[in-house]
Amino acid sequence: MIAMTLAEIAAATRGTLLLDGTHVSPETEITGLSTTDSREVVPGTIFFAKPGEVTDGHLFAPQAVEAGAALVVVDHPLELPVPQLLVEDTVVALGDLATEVIARVRALGLLKIVGITGSNGKTTTKNLLRAVLEQVGPTIAPRASFNNEVGAPVTMLQVTEETQFLVAEMGASGIGEIARLVRMARPDVGVVLKVGLAHAGEFGGIEKTLQAKTEMVTDLLESDVAVLNQDDPRVASMADKTVARVLWFGLDDRADVRASDIVSDRRGTSFTLHLPSRDGGEGPSRPVRFQVLGEHHVMNALAAAASAYTLDVDIDTIVASLQTVKTAERWRMEVMGGSEVTVINDAYNASPDSMSAALKTLAQIAEPGARTIAVLGEMSELGEFSGEEHDRIGLLAVRLGIDQLVIVGPAARRMHISAINEGSWDGESLYFDTQDAAFDHLKGALRPGDTVLVKSSNSAGLRFLGDRLGESFS
C-alpha cells in the first residue's frame, strides 16, 4: 500500500483513532498490506476485524497483533497494545480505504484499471490479462477469486505509486454489489464476459443477473471503454446502457476482436487472433497456440486480448503472453494424472454454462477409441432453476456420448435419473452418495487411455476427489 498516516487512514474511513497505551502518534505512517485473515498478518499489516456468519474477526485480533499488525480496525474497542481504528462497519471501512488509495494513485497519472465481471470466466480472464500486462509494466491482480466486497478492496490496497495496471475481478450475488466495487476502482476498461444462470438463485432470476452485471458499464465515462461479448445477446444489450466506447469481442464476424480457425485437442486450442486496426484499414492477425484446455476458454482469451488492446499493447506481446499460460487456475480445467489416465479437475465452480462447456470439451478431446468419464456433482445457487438445469446436464452427457457418467451427492442425483431416462442403462450412469464411495469405484474401474472430467460447484467439494484421482494415476 502507499504510505498513509494513521490520521489519514482514520479520515478516509471516517473512524476514530484509539492510541492510548501505544507509542505512536497520528502522524505515524503505515505501508503494510490489509487483510481480514489473521493467518496472513505479517509485521506492518492492517488487520480488519470482520464479523462473520460463523465467527468474528475480533476474536482473532490478538493473534493478528502477536503476528505484527500495525493497526487493527474494529467496530468496538479491544484490550490490545496496538493502535486501533474504531469504525461503524469494518467491511465498509475496508472499501473506503481502498477508494482513497486508488484515488491517490490515479492522481499521479500512471495507473490504468480494468474491471472484469461475468457469470463465468472472470478468474481465467483475469489471469490471462495479468500475464499480458505484466510484460508491459507493474501489474496488480487478485489471487484466486478475490472478487467480492472483501477480496476486491484487499487487492486494490496492494497498489503503489509504481503500479501501472490494476486488474480488478468483480463478482456479486446481489444487485448493487458490482456498482459498489466500480465506485471504489472507477475502471478505465469495463469487461463483461457473459450473463448466465450462475448465482441466479441468489440474484432472483436471469433478468436480475443481467441488471447486476450491467452495473459494470453504466458508470463508465465517455473516455472509457466497455469490452463486451458480441456473442451473448444479454451482454450485447449493455451497449445501450453506457456512454463509453464499445469494443466487441467474440466469434461473430462483426466482433472487433475475434478468433477464427479454432481447433481443439487435449493439448489446448489453436486459433487465429484478429485485432482491429489502430489507424484504419485491415487489422493485424496472428496464430495462437493456446495451452489452456477447453475451446470455451478462447472467449476468455479474446476478452483479455481486447482489454490489452485498449491499453495499447501490441498483438505480438498479447499472443506471446497468452501462449505462456498453461492452466486457467487451480481446479479450473487442471490436467492431472499420468500417461495412462488423464484427469481434468474442473471442480472449483460450476454453472449450467460451464458444465456444458466442460462436457463438450471432454467429448471433443478424447482419443479415438478411448473412454470418457464424467464425474459430476451439484451446481449450486441456481434457485428455482436447479432441478431443470441438473436434468439438462444429465441429458447432455448422454447426447454427447460420454461413456461413463458418475454422479456424486444427493443434490446432484437428478442428473443420474435424467441420464437413465434419456437412454443410459446397464451401468453407463452410476450414482454415489459420497466422494469416498465414488473414489473407491473409480480407482478400480479406470483403465489406461481413460479421460476423466471432475466437475462441480465449489460447495460440493469434488475438487478434492479430483485431486485424489489425479494423484492416484500420476
Side-chain angles (χ1 to χ4, degrees):
M1 189 180 81
I2 62 172
M4 292 180 67
T5 67
L6 289 172
E8 289 173 327
I9 295 172
T13 57
R14 301 183 297 278
T16 301
L17 277 175
L18 306 177
L19 301 179
D20 290 347
T22 69
H23 301 288
V24 300
S25 76
E27 299 309 309
T28 299
E29 285 191 339
I30 303 289
T31 60
L33 299 179
S34 298
T35 186
T36 60
D37 189 339
S38 61
R39 296 167 296 183
E40 297 180 348
V41 172
V42 296
T45 298
I46 304 174
F47 176 68
F48 286 78
K50 181 180 80 71
E53 294 180 2
V54 178
T55 187
D56 188 338
H58 293 78
L59 300 175
F60 299 93
Q63 290 96 310
V65 172
E66 185 177 344
L71 175 66
V72 176
V73 183
V74 296
D75 61 22
H76 60 273
L78 302 175
E79 293 293 328
L80 294 172
V82 68
Q84 297 178 55
L85 181 58
L86 182 62
V87 298
E88 184 174 336
D89 186 312
T90 58
V91 174
V92 171
L94 176 65
D96 288 342
L97 182 58
T99 302
E100 177 67 16
V101 168
I102 291 296
R104 291 188 178 204
V105 177
R106 266 192 171 285
L108 301 175
L110 180 64
L111 180 64
K112 293 292 184 181
I113 299 175
V114 180
I116 301 173
T117 196
S119 298
N120 305 106
K122 294 184 295 297
T123 300
T124 300
T125 302
K126 171 259 299 185
N127 287 339
L128 295 172
L129 183 56
R130 172 172 53 193
V132 176
L133 296 180
E134 283 178 338
Q135 304 306 309
V136 180
T139 301
I140 297 294
R143 71 177 190 271
S145 293
F146 269 39
N147 60 27
N148 62 9
E149 62 181 357
V150 172
V154 164
T155 300
M156 295 174 197
L157 286 167
Q158 296 177 32
V159 303
T160 67
E161 292 87 347
E162 290 74 38
T163 303
Q164 190 169 345
F165 302 107
L166 168 64
V167 182
E169 185 180 337
M170 297 182 179
S173 57
I175 302 296
E177 294 179 13
I178 291 174
R180 179 169 180 257
L181 299 178
V182 167
R183 287 193 294 270
M184 285 183 203
R186 227 287 290 153
D188 302 280
V189 182
V191 183
V192 187
L193 302 169
K194 188 175 184 61
V195 176
L197 285 175
H199 310 293
E202 292 183 324
F203 281 110
I206 192 68
E207 293 308 315
K208 291 290 187 182
T209 304
L210 171 60
Q211 181 183 343
K213 301 303 183 186
T214 303
E215 293 170 5
M216 173 60 76
V217 301
T218 51
D219 288 339
L220 294 179
L221 306 177
E222 290 184 16
S223 58
D224 299 330
V225 183
V227 174
L228 302 180
N229 182 348
Q230 177 91 63
D231 300 351
D232 186 323
R234 293 189 178 93
V235 176
S237 73
M238 297 179 189
D240 296 331
K241 309 295 191 303
T242 184
V243 299
R245 176 171 67 90
V246 174
L247 185 72
W248 299 102
F249 71 92
L251 305 184
D252 191 299
D253 287 343
R254 297 170 298 170
D256 301 301
V257 177
R258 61 186 179 87
S260 65
D261 309 316
I262 300 173
V263 179
S264 293
D265 57 33
R266 61 196 306 114
R267 298 187 306 277
T269 306
S270 296
F271 63 94
T272 300
L273 173 65
H274 303 267
L275 296 183
S277 172
R278 297 189 187 276
D279 51 12
E282 186 175 350
S285 61
R286 297 286 189 280
V288 180
R289 181 59 190 172
F290 192 44
Q291 299 184 70
V292 178
L293 193 63
E295 186 175 309
H296 55 290
H297 283 306
V298 171
M299 290 296 287
N300 300 325
L302 292 177
S307 302
Y309 171 86
T310 69
L311 298 171
D312 296 325
V313 181
D314 66 87
I315 190 170
D316 292 318
T317 299
I318 292 172
V319 169
S321 302
L322 290 177
Q323 292 184 150
T324 65
V325 180
K326 296 182 179 180
T327 304
E329 181 76 48
R330 180 81 165 102
W331 297 312
R332 288 177 171 87
M333 298 302 283
E334 182 179 6
V335 180
M336 309 176 72
S339 57
E340 294 189 340
V341 175
T342 299
V343 178
I344 304 169
N345 195 348
D346 192 33
Y348 189 84
N349 274 318
S351 68
D353 289 331
S354 67
M355 187 75 85
S356 298
L359 284 172
K360 290 173 183 176
T361 296
L362 175 63
Q364 191 174 48
I365 67 172
E367 297 288 349
R371 292 196 308 170
T372 52
I373 296 94
V375 183
L376 307 181
E378 179 191 11
M379 299 179 290
S380 63
E381 300 175 353
L382 294 180
E384 64 180 291
F385 305 101
S386 180
E388 63 186 79
E389 291 301 326
H390 282 86
D391 289 345
R392 189 172 67 83
I393 294 301
L395 300 179
L396 178 64
V398 175
R399 291 169 183 173
L400 287 172
I402 303 301
D403 295 298
Q404 177 75 72
L405 192 59
V406 176
I407 305 301
V408 184
R413 193 168 185 270
R414 283 187 64 157
M415 285 192 279
H416 170 62
I417 300 302
S418 295
I420 292 174
N421 291 340
E422 178 68 6
S424 175
W425 60 88
D426 195 25
E428 290 173 323
S429 181
L430 301 174
Y431 170 77
F432 298 94
D433 275 322
T434 67
Q435 290 189 38
D436 286 341
F439 175 79
D440 289 342
H441 165 75
L442 289 163
K443 187 69 167 61
L446 293 178
R447 57 179 187 247
D450 287 349
T451 300
V452 185
L453 168 71
V454 182
K455 180 74 173 171
S456 75
S457 285
N458 194 25
S459 59
L462 260 61
R463 62 194 185 281
F464 303 117
L465 174 59
D467 283 345
R468 290 175 69 187
L469 290 171
E471 291 166 2
S472 296
F473 292 98
S474 62

